[in-house]
Amino acid sequence: MTSAFIIQVQPQLQSDPNEEAAALLRVLIYKIDNTTFGNDVPTVPQWSGPPRTIVQVQSILYASLAASLLSAFLGMLRKQWLARYATTDIRGSAIERCQLRQWKFDGIIAWYFDRMIESSSQVLQIALLLLCCGLSLYLWEINTTVATVILAVTLFGALFYTFIVFAGAASVSCPYQTPGAHLLRHTYYLIHGMTSSAPYLIHRTFYLVHSMTSRAPGLIRHIPGLIRRIPGLIRRIPGLIHRILYLVHQTPAPVLTTLLSISNNSVCIGVLVNWRDELRMLRRSEGSALAFLVITLLLPILLTMCLVIDAYFLVRAMVKAFVAFALPRGQPYGASGPADTRLAMLDVRCISWILDTSLDKCVHLSTLNFLATIPPAFFDPELGLTCFNILVGCVSTVGDKVVVTQGSEILMDASALGFLHVLSHLATVDPTSRALTDARRRYTRIFPSKMSLEGFPSYHRFSILHNLLHPQARLKIQWEDYDPFGTGHVAIASLVQFRYRRVWPLKVPRWALHFALHYLSQNPLPPPPVVVDCLSIIAIDLGCAVPDIITTPAER
Amino acid sequence: MLGNGSGGEQPKAIPPTREDHRTRFYQVYRSEADEYDREFVKRYEEDLNTTLVFVSFFYISRVWWMR
């Protein structure tokens, strides 16, 4: 994509051979007869490099050329990326291909693909700007009038673009959006946030400095005393080491191994644990010079080195965690982790995506049906809120009566089941999660505390949800024709445990007790985890100390 | 309209298993994802084509200008 324009300007960078030949010819004619040129003697001109303006023009034009080449290159890459995203893998079943697609899509969200695509066309705009600048500079040298025309158009374009950027930054609804406007808006928000918190920060800093300076004389007075104490501290090191060794010997081996695994194989603890017996021998032969030497000199140095290594690993882990936290929004799940875990995660991701994207009730229904069958893991609070929103969209209140929208009965049933399912996981993992609080707040705003659910389809699920979500709800539930479903009991047990465990005089609500008793009174007893949950509800009501959340969801 | 997803409405019907729900879900997922991706790719392809047209126009205008 070499530009003819550059080729045109190019010769001016080198000396012009024609000009030189003409000069030589002139000299030759002058030598033949001395009359042609009168008195001025022609000389062969020495070429003293290209003019400065031409060099500048050429630099700008080449920059423009390089930028447009770069933009063509980026365009090619973009085409490849898009093609890679659009092609489906040939291998694998239909389900696996769908999961792979979700995986790629999450990567696109996590790595800001849209922003990247938008910004790559900026290079072309820069190339255009450079071309216009070079052109006007070049023409200015040749002819000012022609240059004015180009300059005017360039200036108009630049002003217009600046105006568009500012307009786009000022108003989100402005249709003339550019990446620059996006950047500008975010910078403004950042600076605004910083300046609004600046007075507080300045006040805190001032307070800190003030308190430090007011205490400085006292601290300085203490320094000689501290220095005087250092020899005493050094003298105490052997004693300290002895005490550590004693502690290591007295601790039982299982405790030490647990400590080692908790600290993620800390080198320091590892040395103490592995050399336990040798250290014991050393302690026995306390009087000998070797033992003294080792304990006073070598062991402190060794332990310090180990501490440094530990600190290095700790800092590295922290940096890694920070990078993983700060960089992509929502880490795409990498190749790590067992295959079935990854598949379960992808299932949940697919469900979340489709519930967020689609508005079709049929799609929602089959998604929620599938959601209720997968084992509770990797549910995020957003998913719970989405289920809750679908549920709320199906019902409305008339006075103190709840009615279902025509045709949404099955969807309401499925969404109540799905929400209870997600809730059971969230309540086990994080009972204080934001989703739960949000759902409670919205529920309280929409539904009254006392309402009649007589003849309501999916009566049990909805009344359980009502009692779980509404703070003042004391709905008496008829358990007679209760058909046990899904993981509802987990949700009830977890939430009851969380809310009533440590506050004994507060009794467990009657409905939960009735629920537990109903379950336990069935003739073929329900599976053991359900029995455990029911028994723990009863135990909490009686005020017994129940251990922490008893089983993990996976074991259920 | 919504009844076909849950099954088990007729008496004596075998309730759908987990695999049935999974298959049904992924059928729905595929059709939705196909539609979404078609729009997604189309949008960026069009954007890309605009850029390429611009690049070629840029190039031609430069050549033409120096004739």
Side-chain angles (χ1 to χ4, degrees), chain A residues 166-183:
Chain A
F166 276 101
S171 153
V172 187
S173 62
C174 171
Y176 316 119
Q177 290 293 335
T178 44
H182 188 78
L183 197 71

Side-chain angles (χ1 to χ4, degrees), chain A residues 1-5 8 64-65 68 71 75 78-79 82 85-86 94-95 98-99 101-102 105 108 113-114 117 121 124 127-128 131 135 139 346-347 350-351 353-354 357-358 361-363 365-367 369-370 373-375 407-408 410-411, chain B residues 1-7 9 16-34 36-38 40-56 58-67:
Chain A
M1 209 165 68
T2 347
S3 162
F5 184 61
Q8 167 77 18
S64 156
L65 181 70
S68 60
S71 84
R78 275 165 57 180
K79 206 145 181 113
L82 273 178
Y85 175 73
I95 291 181
C98 286
Q99 286 173 339
R101 182 255 162 205
Q102 182 64 38
F105 186 77
I108 274 181
F113 186 73
D114 42 351
I117 291 275
S121 62
L124 197 64
L128 183 65
L131 177 78
L135 213 59
L139 286 178
L346 282 174
D347 275 347
C350 288
I351 289 173
W353 179 77
I354 206 161
T357 314
S358 175
K361 281 188 176 179
C362 288
V363 172
L365 182 66
S366 53
T367 311
N369 278 335
F370 177 50
T373 61
I374 60 176
S408 310
I410 303 172
L411 183 61
Chain B
M1 180 183 78
L2 295 175
N4 51 1
S6 73
E9 250 111 78
T17 61
R18 187 174 168 229
E19 275 309 307
D20 292 340
H21 282 309
R22 194 178 150 90
T23 319
R24 169 116 188 89
F25 168 69
Y26 274 107
Q27 274 173 6
V28 171
Y29 179 87
R30 199 165 73 169
S31 61
E32 286 285 314
D34 276 351
Y36 186 91
D37 283 352
R38 214 178 302 125
F40 179 82
V41 171
K42 204 174 98 189
R43 196 171 78 225
Y44 285 117
E45 285 273 326
E46 272 172 10
D47 188 33
L48 189 68
N49 288 342
T50 323
T51 311
L52 288 183
V53 164
F54 196 66
V55 168
S56 49
F58 195 32
Y59 169 65
I60 290 168
S61 68
R62 279 201 215 175
V63 173
W64 180 83
W65 185 75
M66 279 324 296
R67 277 252 162 106

Side-chain angles (χ1 to χ4, degrees), chain A residues 19-214:
Chain A
E19 206 170 289
E20 207 178 337
L24 282 173
L25 215 60
R26 222 171 283 155
V27 171
L28 202 65
I29 293 168
Y30 182 74
K31 289 280 179 209
I32 293 169
D33 62 338
N34 286 343
T35 54
T36 317
F37 300 107
N39 277 339
D40 48 336
V41 182
T43 49
V44 179
Q46 286 295 310
W47 196 66
S48 55
R52 249 185 73 214
T53 328
I54 293 297
V55 175
Q56 286 170 0
V57 167
Q58 284 291 54
S59 320
I60 294 174
L61 285 181
Y62 272 112
S64 156
L65 181 70
S68 60
L69 273 179
L70 186 68
S71 84
F73 171 66
L74 282 180
M76 208 173 67
L77 278 183
R78 275 165 57 180
K79 206 145 181 113
Q80 276 178 6
W81 293 332
L82 273 178
R84 183 187 163 272
Y85 175 73
T87 47
T88 44
D89 208 333
I90 317 164
R91 286 160 296 174
S93 65
I95 291 181
E96 277 165 0
R97 270 179 281 155
C98 286
Q99 286 173 339
L100 189 67
R101 182 255 162 205
Q102 182 64 38
W103 198 44
K104 286 196 279 192
F105 186 77
D106 285 350
I108 274 181
I109 302 291
W111 288 90
Y112 297 91
F113 186 73
D114 42 351
R115 294 259 169 280
M116 175 73 196
I117 291 275
E118 269 178 20
S119 339
S120 67
S121 62
Q122 295 297 298
V123 183
L124 197 64
Q125 295 174 7
I126 291 171
L128 183 65
L129 182 70
L130 284 175
L131 177 78
C132 287
C133 288
L135 213 59
S136 12
L137 197 61
Y138 177 63
L139 286 178
W140 192 265
E141 288 299 306
I142 296 174
N143 189 328
T144 326
T145 321
V146 184
T148 320
V149 174
I150 294 280
L151 208 60
V153 174
T154 311
L155 267 180
F156 175 73
L159 280 179
F160 180 67
Y161 192 79
T162 320
F163 169 72
I164 275 179
V165 165
F166 276 101
S171 153
V172 187
S173 62
C174 171
Y176 316 119
Q177 290 293 335
T178 44
H182 188 78
L183 197 71
L184 201 67
R185 198 181 315 133
H186 276 260
T187 320
Y188 170 73
Y189 283 145
L190 201 72
I191 291 174
H192 184 74
M194 271 158 71
T195 46
S196 62
S197 61
Y200 175 72
L201 271 180
I202 291 170
H203 180 246
R204 290 295 306 174
T205 320
F206 179 74
Y207 183 74
L208 205 70
V209 169
H210 179 74
S211 64
M212 270 163 71
T213 46
S214 65

Side-chain angles (χ1 to χ4, degrees), chain A residues 209-226:
Chain A
V209 169
H210 179 74
S211 64
M212 270 163 71
T213 46
S214 65
R215 278 180 205 162
L219 281 176
I220 291 170
R221 227 181 301 127
H222 277 290
I223 288 176
L226 282 175

